[in-house]
């Protein structure tokens, strides 16, 4: 089913009887070529692009809860590419370009809103830092706009530029930045991945890994053992806890935001 304004009108006039589930409710198969652990934005995007860009056929996403109910369940996030380092800026600029076409690609309203992002400058040191950042953005092909106090006062009259504690001395704006709704992103990717044949298996927690001769053969789950050719861990802040089940201690630490 393709979503459109005409479809919404038709369903409204016919008692909303034509809507179908956004994705299938499937039981896990015994074996997949690719198993993606984690049904958040990262895991579902991994499965979707595996199927769409690389032609992968037997792909499963395992989610311990329900789609949109984990860390991806936060209401909004900032989308931007206002980074300083050469290793970061091109990565996030490519990501921002994906955001800009995401809703058309998925045929789903992820509430992408490019309302812009403004970082305020409150000190001379911050001005130097944001000037460097803005120049790095421009050198990497991203949009950056260094604003004066006068311009900020004109564009955003609700801001008190003369605040005694935090006077506004300028700002760095990226007008293509904005916000998006996290759980809607997950639902959109889940729906699009399902249409490409990806099995999305909810309430399926990975409890262990079957490893022989240094190779991972599959995963033990709350719904039984599932064999896999390649296995991806896309569980964000739970990465360390999950990979400890495979005997791996990751050099990362999770922080609650």
């Amino acid at each position: 089913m393709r979503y459109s304004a005409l479809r919404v009108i038709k369903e409204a006039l016919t008692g909303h009887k034509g809507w179908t589930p956004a994705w299938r409710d499937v039981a896990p198969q015994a074996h997949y070529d690719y198993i993606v652990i984690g049904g958040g934005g990262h895991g579902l995007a991994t499965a979707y692009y595996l199927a769409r860009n690389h032609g992968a056929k037997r792909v499963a996403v395992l989610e311990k809860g329900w789609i949109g109910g984990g860390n991806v369940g936060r209401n909004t996030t900032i989308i931007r590419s206002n980074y300083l380092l050469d290793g970061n800026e091109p990565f996030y600029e490519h990501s921002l370009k994906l955001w800009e076409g995401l809703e058309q690609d998925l045929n789903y309203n992820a509430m992408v809103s490019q309302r812009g992002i403004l970082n305020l400058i409150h000190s001379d040191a911050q001005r130097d830092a944001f000037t460097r950042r803005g120049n790095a953005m421009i050198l990497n092909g991203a949009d950056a706009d260094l604003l004066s106090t006068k311009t900020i006062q004109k564009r955003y009259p609700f801001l008190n530029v003369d605040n005694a504690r935090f006077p506004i001395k300028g700002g760095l704006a990226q007008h293509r930045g904005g916000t998006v709704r996290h759980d809607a992103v997950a639902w959109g990717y889940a729906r699009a991945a399902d249409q490409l044949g990806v099995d999305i298996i909810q309430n399926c927690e990975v409890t262990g890994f079957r490893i022989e001769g240094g190779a991972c053969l599959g995963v033990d789950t709350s719904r039984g053992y599932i064999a896999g050719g390649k296995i991806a861990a896309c569980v964000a802040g739970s990465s360390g806890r999950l990979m400890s089940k495979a005997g791996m201690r990751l050099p990362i630490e999770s922080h609650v935001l």
Side-chain angles (χ1 to χ4, degrees):
M1 176 189 296
R2 182 166 183 82
Y3 294 153
S4 67
L6 289 177
R7 183 80 197 199
V8 171
I9 294 171
K10 178 182 177 181
E11 293 300 330
L13 295 174
T14 57
H16 297 285
K17 298 178 180 178
W19 298 120
T20 58
W23 57 85
R24 296 165 294 134
D25 182 18
V26 299
Q29 299 180 31
H31 180 274
Y32 291 94
D33 293 336
Y34 299 90
I35 295 176
V36 179
I37 306 172
H42 296 131
L44 290 164
T46 297
Y48 172 69
Y49 292 117
L50 272 173
R52 194 196 73 169
N53 293 1
H54 302 283
K57 297 299 182 183
R58 296 176 55 81
V59 183
V61 175
L62 310 184
E63 167 56 40
K64 71 175 182 179
W66 64 93
I67 301 301
N71 189 50
V72 78
R74 292 180 295 172
N75 286 332
T76 58
T77 183
I78 298 173
I79 56 174
R80 58 199 170 101
S81 64
N82 58 347
Y83 289 81
L84 171 65
L85 301 179
D86 287 337
N88 282 4
E89 182 56 37
F91 178 87
Y92 283 99
E93 177 60 18
H94 178 71
S95 175
L96 185 53
K97 289 177 180 177
L98 288 177
W99 283 118
E100 289 176 324
L102 183 69
E103 293 176 317
Q104 292 73 27
D105 184 19
L106 302 182
N107 181 227
Y108 197 86
N109 180 16
M111 300 186 185
V112 178
S113 175
Q114 290 181 275
R115 61 188 65 194
I117 178 173
L118 172 64
N119 293 101
L120 296 176
I121 296 170
H122 300 293
S123 68
D124 293 337
Q126 281 188 334
R127 179 185 289 108
D128 293 342
F130 279 117
T131 299
R132 289 176 59 220
R133 179 176 293 202
N135 288 332
M137 293 166 63
I138 293 171
L139 287 171
N140 281 284
D143 62 307
D145 193 3
L146 289 164
L147 305 180
S148 66
T149 302
K150 184 177 180 180
T151 300
I152 290 175
Q153 191 169 34
K154 182 178 180 180
R155 291 188 184 179
Y156 311 100
F158 54 87
L159 291 177
N160 180 8
V161 298
D162 298 321
N163 185 296
R165 186 175 182 185
F166 298 112
I168 297 174
K169 298 187 175 184
L172 173 63
Q174 184 176 34
H175 302 298
R176 290 167 54 237
T179 59
V180 66
R181 179 163 169 158
H182 258 110
D183 47 10
V185 172
W187 298 330
Y189 269 125
R191 177 175 174 272
D194 174 83
Q195 291 174 348
L196 293 174
V198 174
D199 282 359
I200 298 171
I201 306 167
Q202 301 178 88
N203 300 307
C204 184
E205 182 177 3
V206 171
T207 57
F209 294 81
R210 300 274 183 98
I211 300 175
E212 295 182 11
C216 186
L217 305 180
V219 292
D220 292 307
T221 78
S222 57
R223 299 182 65 174
Y225 173 69
I226 306 174
K230 294 184 182 297
I231 298 170
C234 302
V235 294
S238 298
S239 295
R241 186 166 60 87
L242 174 67
M243 297 315 298
S244 68
K245 300 179 185 296
M248 296 175 62
R249 188 174 186 273
L250 300 183
I252 59 176
E253 182 179 352
S254 298
H255 290 270
V256 177
L257 298 178

